[in-house]
mmCIF file of all heavy atoms in Angstrom:
data_model
loop_
_atom_site.group_PDB
_atom_site.id
_atom_site.type_symbol
_atom_site.label_atom_id
_atom_site.label_comp_id
_atom_site.label_asym_id
_atom_site.label_seq_id
_atom_site.Cartn_x
_atom_site.Cartn_y
_atom_site.Cartn_z
ATOM 1 N N CYS A 1 96.921 87.946 96.744
ATOM 2 C CA CYS A 1 96.119 86.716 96.731
ATOM 3 C C CYS A 1 95.250 86.559 97.982
ATOM 4 O O CYS A 1 95.379 87.309 98.958
ATOM 5 C CB CYS A 1 97.045 85.508 96.583
ATOM 6 S SG CYS A 1 97.992 85.511 95.042
ATOM 7 N N LYS A 2 94.398 85.559 97.941
ATOM 8 C CA LYS A 2 93.458 85.280 99.030
ATOM 9 C C LYS A 2 94.214 85.040 100.345
ATOM 10 O O LYS A 2 95.223 84.341 100.389
ATOM 11 C CB LYS A 2 92.645 84.033 98.675
ATOM 12 C CG LYS A 2 91.454 83.790 99.579
ATOM 13 C CD LYS A 2 90.610 82.651 99.026
ATOM 14 C CE LYS A 2 89.387 82.429 99.901
ATOM 15 N NZ LYS A 2 88.529 81.340 99.375
ATOM 16 N N GLY A 3 93.733 85.675 101.395
ATOM 17 C CA GLY A 3 94.337 85.488 102.708
ATOM 18 C C GLY A 3 95.591 86.304 102.934
ATOM 19 O O GLY A 3 96.165 86.287 104.023
ATOM 20 N N ALA A 4 96.044 87.029 101.911
ATOM 21 C CA ALA A 4 97.228 87.893 102.055
ATOM 22 C C ALA A 4 96.804 89.260 102.560
ATOM 23 O O ALA A 4 95.661 89.685 102.364
ATOM 24 C CB ALA A 4 97.947 88.029 100.719
ATOM 25 N N SER A 5 97.744 89.960 103.202
ATOM 26 C CA SER A 5 97.450 91.319 103.672
ATOM 27 C C SER A 5 98.600 92.247 103.315
ATOM 28 O O SER A 5 99.770 91.886 103.421
ATOM 29 C CB SER A 5 97.217 91.330 105.180
ATOM 30 O OG SER A 5 98.403 91.013 105.877
ATOM 31 N N VAL A 6 98.226 93.453 102.884
ATOM 32 C CA VAL A 6 99.203 94.484 102.546
ATOM 33 C C VAL A 6 98.800 95.757 103.278
ATOM 34 O O VAL A 6 97.671 96.227 103.134
ATOM 35 C CB VAL A 6 99.256 94.743 101.022
ATOM 36 C CG1 VAL A 6 100.225 95.871 100.704
ATOM 37 C CG2 VAL A 6 99.647 93.477 100.269
ATOM 38 N N SER A 7 99.724 96.303 104.059
ATOM 39 C CA SER A 7 99.413 97.479 104.871
ATOM 40 C C SER A 7 100.541 98.505 104.782
ATOM 41 O O SER A 7 101.716 98.146 104.895
ATOM 42 C CB SER A 7 99.212 97.045 106.337
ATOM 43 O OG SER A 7 99.200 98.147 107.210
ATOM 44 N N HIS A 8 100.177 99.784 104.565
ATOM 45 C CA HIS A 8 101.153 100.877 104.537
ATOM 46 C C HIS A 8 102.362 100.528 103.661
ATOM 47 O O HIS A 8 103.517 100.678 104.067
ATOM 48 C CB HIS A 8 101.631 101.206 105.960
ATOM 49 C CG HIS A 8 100.531 101.720 106.847
ATOM 50 N ND1 HIS A 8 99.701 100.879 107.542
ATOM 51 C CD2 HIS A 8 100.135 102.983 107.136
ATOM 52 C CE1 HIS A 8 98.832 101.601 108.240
ATOM 53 N NE2 HIS A 8 99.061 102.878 108.007
ATOM 54 N N SER A 9 102.073 100.052 102.458
ATOM 55 C CA SER A 9 103.157 99.563 101.593
ATOM 56 C C SER A 9 102.961 99.995 100.149
ATOM 57 O O SER A 9 101.879 100.442 99.748
ATOM 58 C CB SER A 9 103.248 98.036 101.665
ATOM 59 O OG SER A 9 103.649 97.615 102.956
ATOM 60 N N ILE A 10 104.038 99.845 99.377
ATOM 61 C CA ILE A 10 104.017 100.079 97.936
ATOM 62 C C ILE A 10 104.319 98.746 97.261
ATOM 63 O O ILE A 10 105.374 98.150 97.510
ATOM 64 C CB ILE A 10 105.079 101.103 97.513
ATOM 65 C CG1 ILE A 10 104.957 102.394 98.327
ATOM 66 C CG2 ILE A 10 104.992 101.396 96.021
ATOM 67 C CD1 ILE A 10 106.228 103.226 98.325
ATOM 68 N N VAL A 11 103.400 98.288 96.436
ATOM 69 C CA VAL A 11 103.630 97.071 95.652
ATOM 70 C C VAL A 11 103.803 97.527 94.211
ATOM 71 O O VAL A 11 102.869 98.036 93.590
ATOM 72 C CB VAL A 11 102.462 96.077 95.801
ATOM 73 C CG1 VAL A 11 102.728 94.821 94.964
ATOM 74 C CG2 VAL A 11 102.259 95.697 97.268
ATOM 75 N N MET A 12 105.005 97.381 93.682
ATOM 76 C CA MET A 12 105.334 97.917 92.362
ATOM 77 C C MET A 12 104.828 97.000 91.236
ATOM 78 O O MET A 12 104.362 95.887 91.506
ATOM 79 C CB MET A 12 106.830 98.188 92.285
ATOM 80 C CG MET A 12 107.228 99.377 93.176
ATOM 81 S SD MET A 12 108.908 99.949 92.913
ATOM 82 C CE MET A 12 108.853 101.527 93.759
ATOM 83 N N PRO A 13 104.876 97.479 89.986
ATOM 84 C CA PRO A 13 104.224 96.762 88.885
ATOM 85 C C PRO A 13 104.600 95.287 88.779
ATOM 86 O O PRO A 13 105.769 94.908 88.875
ATOM 87 C CB PRO A 13 104.690 97.539 87.644
ATOM 88 C CG PRO A 13 104.902 98.925 88.146
ATOM 89 C CD PRO A 13 105.462 98.754 89.533
ATOM 90 N N GLY A 14 103.572 94.456 88.570
ATOM 91 C CA GLY A 14 103.776 93.039 88.311
ATOM 92 C C GLY A 14 104.203 92.196 89.493
ATOM 93 O O GLY A 14 104.458 91.000 89.347
ATOM 94 N N ALA A 15 104.272 92.777 90.691
ATOM 95 C CA ALA A 15 104.666 91.996 91.874
ATOM 96 C C ALA A 15 103.482 91.157 92.354
ATOM 97 O O ALA A 15 102.318 91.462 92.071
ATOM 98 C CB ALA A 15 105.151 92.919 92.983
ATOM 99 N N LYS A 16 103.792 90.100 93.110
ATOM 100 C CA LYS A 16 102.740 89.196 93.584
ATOM 101 C C LYS A 16 102.933 88.899 95.064
ATOM 102 O O LYS A 16 104.029 88.523 95.498
ATOM 103 C CB LYS A 16 102.771 87.892 92.782
ATOM 104 C CG LYS A 16 101.689 86.890 93.186
ATOM 105 C CD LYS A 16 101.719 85.652 92.285
ATOM 106 C CE LYS A 16 100.606 84.668 92.643
ATOM 107 N NZ LYS A 16 100.609 83.491 91.752
ATOM 108 N N VAL A 17 101.856 89.077 95.833
ATOM 109 C CA VAL A 17 101.843 88.711 97.249
ATOM 110 C C VAL A 17 100.957 87.471 97.359
ATOM 111 O O VAL A 17 99.738 87.541 97.170
ATOM 112 C CB VAL A 17 101.303 89.872 98.120
ATOM 113 C CG1 VAL A 17 101.360 89.489 99.595
ATOM 114 C CG2 VAL A 17 102.103 91.153 97.871
ATOM 115 N N CYS A 18 101.574 86.335 97.651
ATOM 116 C CA CYS A 18 100.874 85.048 97.578
ATOM 117 C C CYS A 18 99.988 84.784 98.805
ATOM 118 O O CYS A 18 99.979 85.557 99.772
ATOM 119 C CB CYS A 18 101.884 83.917 97.405
ATOM 120 S SG CYS A 18 102.829 84.020 95.866
ATOM 121 N N GLU A 19 99.265 83.686 98.769
ATOM 122 C CA GLU A 19 98.277 83.355 99.803
ATOM 123 C C GLU A 19 98.886 83.347 101.202
ATOM 124 O O GLU A 19 99.952 82.779 101.428
ATOM 125 C CB GLU A 19 97.651 81.985 99.515
ATOM 126 C CG GLU A 19 96.669 82.007 98.357
ATOM 127 C CD GLU A 19 95.819 80.730 98.304
ATOM 128 O OE1 GLU A 19 95.676 80.070 99.351
ATOM 129 O OE2 GLU A 19 95.307 80.411 97.208
ATOM 130 N N GLY A 20 98.180 84.004 102.110
ATOM 131 C CA GLY A 20 98.578 83.991 103.512
ATOM 132 C C GLY A 20 99.785 84.839 103.851
ATOM 133 O O GLY A 20 100.200 84.899 105.018
ATOM 134 N N ALA A 21 100.373 85.514 102.866
ATOM 135 C CA ALA A 21 101.549 86.360 103.134
ATOM 136 C C ALA A 21 101.115 87.696 103.732
ATOM 137 O O ALA A 21 99.993 88.158 103.500
ATOM 138 C CB ALA A 21 102.336 86.595 101.849
ATOM 139 N N SER A 22 102.014 88.315 104.491
ATOM 140 C CA SER A 22 101.714 89.645 105.038
ATOM 141 C C SER A 22 102.851 90.602 104.697
ATOM 142 O O SER A 22 104.031 90.255 104.789
ATOM 143 C CB SER A 22 101.512 89.579 106.554
ATOM 144 O OG SER A 22 102.722 89.286 107.215
ATOM 145 N N VAL A 23 102.463 91.802 104.295
ATOM 146 C CA VAL A 23 103.417 92.852 103.921
ATOM 147 C C VAL A 23 103.010 94.115 104.661
ATOM 148 O O VAL A 23 101.860 94.545 104.569
ATOM 149 C CB VAL A 23 103.398 93.098 102.392
ATOM 150 C CG1 VAL A 23 104.255 94.301 102.029
ATOM 151 C CG2 VAL A 23 103.854 91.856 101.631
ATOM 152 N N ALA A 24 103.928 94.709 105.411
ATOM 153 C CA ALA A 24 103.613 95.926 106.167
ATOM 154 C C ALA A 24 104.810 96.867 106.156
ATOM 155 O O ALA A 24 105.946 96.429 106.346
ATOM 156 C CB ALA A 24 103.227 95.579 107.603
ATOM 157 N N TYR A 25 104.544 98.144 105.910
ATOM 158 C CA TYR A 25 105.597 99.166 105.892
ATOM 159 C C TYR A 25 106.773 98.696 105.035
ATOM 160 O O TYR A 25 107.896 98.539 105.502
ATOM 161 C CB TYR A 25 106.037 99.505 107.319
ATOM 162 C CG TYR A 25 104.973 100.263 108.084
ATOM 163 C CD1 TYR A 25 103.954 99.588 108.740
ATOM 164 C CD2 TYR A 25 104.972 101.651 108.121
ATOM 165 C CE1 TYR A 25 102.951 100.280 109.416
ATOM 166 C CE2 TYR A 25 103.981 102.349 108.804
ATOM 167 C CZ TYR A 25 102.974 101.662 109.444
ATOM 168 O OH TYR A 25 101.980 102.352 110.106
ATOM 169 N N ALA A 26 106.458 98.476 103.755
ATOM 170 C CA ALA A 26 107.462 97.891 102.851
ATOM 171 C C ALA A 26 107.308 98.440 101.442
ATOM 172 O O ALA A 26 106.265 98.999 101.078
ATOM 173 C CB ALA A 26 107.327 96.369 102.835
ATOM 174 N N ILE A 27 108.372 98.272 100.663
ATOM 175 C CA ILE A 27 108.335 98.515 99.220
ATOM 176 C C ILE A 27 108.687 97.200 98.546
ATOM 177 O O ILE A 27 109.775 96.648 98.765
ATOM 178 C CB ILE A 27 109.333 99.611 98.799
ATOM 179 C CG1 ILE A 27 109.025 100.935 99.497
ATOM 180 C CG2 ILE A 27 109.301 99.793 97.281
ATOM 181 C CD1 ILE A 27 110.036 102.051 99.205
ATOM 182 N N ILE A 28 107.754 96.693 97.747
ATOM 183 C CA ILE A 28 107.960 95.435 97.021
ATOM 184 C C ILE A 28 108.287 95.800 95.574
ATOM 185 O O ILE A 28 107.462 96.383 94.869
ATOM 186 C CB ILE A 28 106.703 94.536 97.080
ATOM 187 C CG1 ILE A 28 106.211 94.364 98.522
ATOM 188 C CG2 ILE A 28 106.994 93.188 96.422
ATOM 189 C CD1 ILE A 28 107.216 93.764 99.477
ATOM 190 N N GLY A 29 109.501 95.473 95.128
ATOM 191 C CA GLY A 29 109.965 95.857 93.798
ATOM 192 C C GLY A 29 109.186 95.194 92.674
ATOM 193 O O GLY A 29 108.508 94.176 92.863
ATOM 194 N N ALA A 30 109.287 95.786 91.485
ATOM 195 C CA ALA A 30 108.563 95.287 90.313
ATOM 196 C C ALA A 30 108.889 93.820 90.052
ATOM 197 O O ALA A 30 110.044 93.411 90.063
ATOM 198 C CB ALA A 30 108.917 96.129 89.095
ATOM 199 N N GLY A 31 107.839 93.017 89.844
ATOM 200 C CA GLY A 31 108.021 91.607 89.496
ATOM 201 C C GLY A 31 108.446 90.701 90.631
ATOM 202 O O GLY A 31 108.670 89.504 90.422
ATOM 203 N N ALA A 32 108.579 91.240 91.845
ATOM 204 C CA ALA A 32 108.964 90.402 92.994
ATOM 205 C C ALA A 32 107.805 89.496 93.397
ATOM 206 O O ALA A 32 106.634 89.782 93.106
ATOM 207 C CB ALA A 32 109.382 91.277 94.172
ATOM 208 N N VAL A 33 108.131 88.398 94.071
ATOM 209 C CA VAL A 33 107.110 87.455 94.558
ATOM 210 C C VAL A 33 107.311 87.243 96.050
ATOM 211 O O VAL A 33 108.414 86.913 96.500
ATOM 212 C CB VAL A 33 107.213 86.100 93.822
ATOM 213 C CG1 VAL A 33 106.197 85.116 94.397
ATOM 214 C CG2 VAL A 33 106.989 86.289 92.322
ATOM 215 N N ILE A 34 106.247 87.446 96.813
ATOM 216 C CA ILE A 34 106.260 87.175 98.250
ATOM 217 C C ILE A 34 105.529 85.854 98.448
ATOM 218 O O ILE A 34 104.319 85.766 98.222
ATOM 219 C CB ILE A 34 105.574 88.312 99.051
ATOM 220 C CG1 ILE A 34 106.098 89.698 98.606
ATOM 221 C CG2 ILE A 34 105.769 88.086 100.548
ATOM 222 C CD1 ILE A 34 107.595 89.875 98.704
ATOM 223 N N GLY A 35 106.265 84.817 98.829
ATOM 224 C CA GLY A 35 105.738 83.452 98.844
ATOM 225 C C GLY A 35 104.607 83.224 99.837
ATOM 226 O O GLY A 35 104.325 84.061 100.711
ATOM 227 N N ASN A 36 103.972 82.064 99.711
ATOM 228 C CA ASN A 36 102.867 81.703 100.598
ATOM 229 C C ASN A 36 103.296 81.791 102.066
ATOM 230 O O ASN A 36 104.329 81.230 102.457
ATOM 231 C CB ASN A 36 102.397 80.265 100.317
ATOM 232 C CG ASN A 36 101.784 80.126 98.939
ATOM 233 O OD1 ASN A 36 101.007 80.965 98.508
ATOM 234 N ND2 ASN A 36 102.153 79.065 98.232
ATOM 235 N N GLY A 37 102.511 82.498 102.858
ATOM 236 C CA GLY A 37 102.768 82.573 104.292
ATOM 237 C C GLY A 37 104.000 83.356 104.690
ATOM 238 O O GLY A 37 104.375 83.378 105.869
ATOM 239 N N ALA A 38 104.647 84.000 103.729
ATOM 240 C CA ALA A 38 105.854 84.788 104.046
ATOM 241 C C ALA A 38 105.461 86.089 104.752
ATOM 242 O O ALA A 38 104.316 86.546 104.654
ATOM 243 C CB ALA A 38 106.642 85.093 102.781
ATOM 244 N N ARG A 39 106.436 86.682 105.437
ATOM 245 C CA ARG A 39 106.184 87.965 106.119
ATOM 246 C C ARG A 39 107.275 88.955 105.747
ATOM 247 O O ARG A 39 108.462 88.653 105.869
ATOM 248 C CB ARG A 39 106.143 87.777 107.638
ATOM 249 C CG ARG A 39 105.978 89.111 108.397
ATOM 250 C CD ARG A 39 105.780 88.909 109.886
ATOM 251 N NE ARG A 39 106.923 88.335 110.576
ATOM 252 C CZ ARG A 39 108.030 89.011 110.891
ATOM 253 N NH1 ARG A 39 108.173 90.273 110.519
ATOM 254 N NH2 ARG A 39 109.000 88.416 111.563
ATOM 255 N N VAL A 40 106.844 90.141 105.317
ATOM 256 C CA VAL A 40 107.774 91.222 104.982
ATOM 257 C C VAL A 40 107.414 92.443 105.823
ATOM 258 O O VAL A 40 106.297 92.955 105.730
ATOM 259 C CB VAL A 40 107.717 91.590 103.484
ATOM 260 C CG1 VAL A 40 108.643 92.770 103.184
ATOM 261 C CG2 VAL A 40 108.072 90.391 102.609
ATOM 262 N N GLY A 41 108.350 92.889 106.669
ATOM 263 C CA GLY A 41 108.107 94.050 107.515
ATOM 264 C C GLY A 41 107.136 93.735 108.637
ATOM 265 O O GLY A 41 106.730 92.585 108.840
ATOM 266 N N LYS A 42 106.770 94.788 109.372
ATOM 267 C CA LYS A 42 105.805 94.608 110.458
ATOM 268 C C LYS A 42 105.058 95.910 110.696
ATOM 269 O O LYS A 42 105.503 96.993 110.305
ATOM 270 C CB LYS A 42 106.515 94.171 111.732
ATOM 271 C CG LYS A 42 107.421 95.220 112.342
ATOM 272 C CD LYS A 42 108.005 94.759 113.674
ATOM 273 C CE LYS A 42 108.857 95.857 114.304
ATOM 274 N NZ LYS A 42 109.457 95.440 115.595
ATOM 275 N N GLU A 43 103.884 95.803 111.329
ATOM 276 C CA GLU A 43 103.112 96.990 111.678
ATOM 277 C C GLU A 43 103.922 97.850 112.647
ATOM 278 O O GLU A 43 104.633 97.329 113.511
ATOM 279 C CB GLU A 43 101.784 96.587 112.332
ATOM 280 C CG GLU A 43 100.817 95.894 111.380
ATOM 281 C CD GLU A 43 100.300 96.806 110.273
ATOM 282 O OE1 GLU A 43 100.385 98.043 110.419
ATOM 283 O OE2 GLU A 43 99.826 96.282 109.251
ATOM 284 N N GLN A 44 103.811 99.175 112.493
ATOM 285 C CA GLN A 44 104.597 100.090 113.320
ATOM 286 C C GLN A 44 103.731 101.256 113.776
ATOM 287 O O GLN A 44 102.881 101.736 113.024
ATOM 288 C CB GLN A 44 105.804 100.621 112.530
ATOM 289 C CG GLN A 44 106.755 99.514 112.093
ATOM 290 C CD GLN A 44 107.850 100.018 111.162
ATOM 291 O OE1 GLN A 44 108.420 101.083 111.369
ATOM 292 N NE2 GLN A 44 108.145 99.237 110.119
ATOM 293 N N SER A 45 103.962 101.707 114.991
ATOM 294 C CA SER A 45 103.269 102.892 115.479
ATOM 295 C C SER A 45 104.002 104.127 114.972
ATOM 296 O O SER A 45 105.157 104.046 114.547
ATOM 297 C CB SER A 45 103.229 102.894 117.008
ATOM 298 O OG SER A 45 104.539 102.829 117.534
ATOM 299 N N ASP A 46 103.335 105.262 115.020
ATOM 300 C CA ASP A 46 103.917 106.510 114.518
ATOM 301 C C ASP A 46 105.148 106.885 115.339
ATOM 302 O O ASP A 46 105.056 107.133 116.532
ATOM 303 C CB ASP A 46 102.875 107.628 114.596
ATOM 304 C CG ASP A 46 103.369 108.903 113.916
ATOM 305 O OD1 ASP A 46 104.523 108.912 113.463
ATOM 306 O OD2 ASP A 46 102.599 109.869 113.853
#
């Protein structure tokens, strides 16, 4: 959704990343919902 960010991640079928949420270095399972402004994982250096 608008304002959300997904980086270095896998978003599986039917999942939703809501407004303002951030997902980094993560696997989001099928049909999962990442709520507004939620944070999953973090940016990582090599």
Side-chain angles (χ1 to χ4, degrees):
C1 298
K2 191 172 182 179
S5 67
V6 177
S7 167
H8 296 86
S9 294
I10 307 159
V11 180
M12 290 191 166
K16 181 176 182 178
V17 183
C18 297
E19 286 194 23
S22 69
V23 173
Y25 290 85
I27 300 176
I28 309 301
V33 177
I34 312 304
N36 294 316
R39 176 174 65 76
V40 177
K42 67 175 183 181
E43 292 293 341
Q44 299 173 42
S45 57
D46 188 357

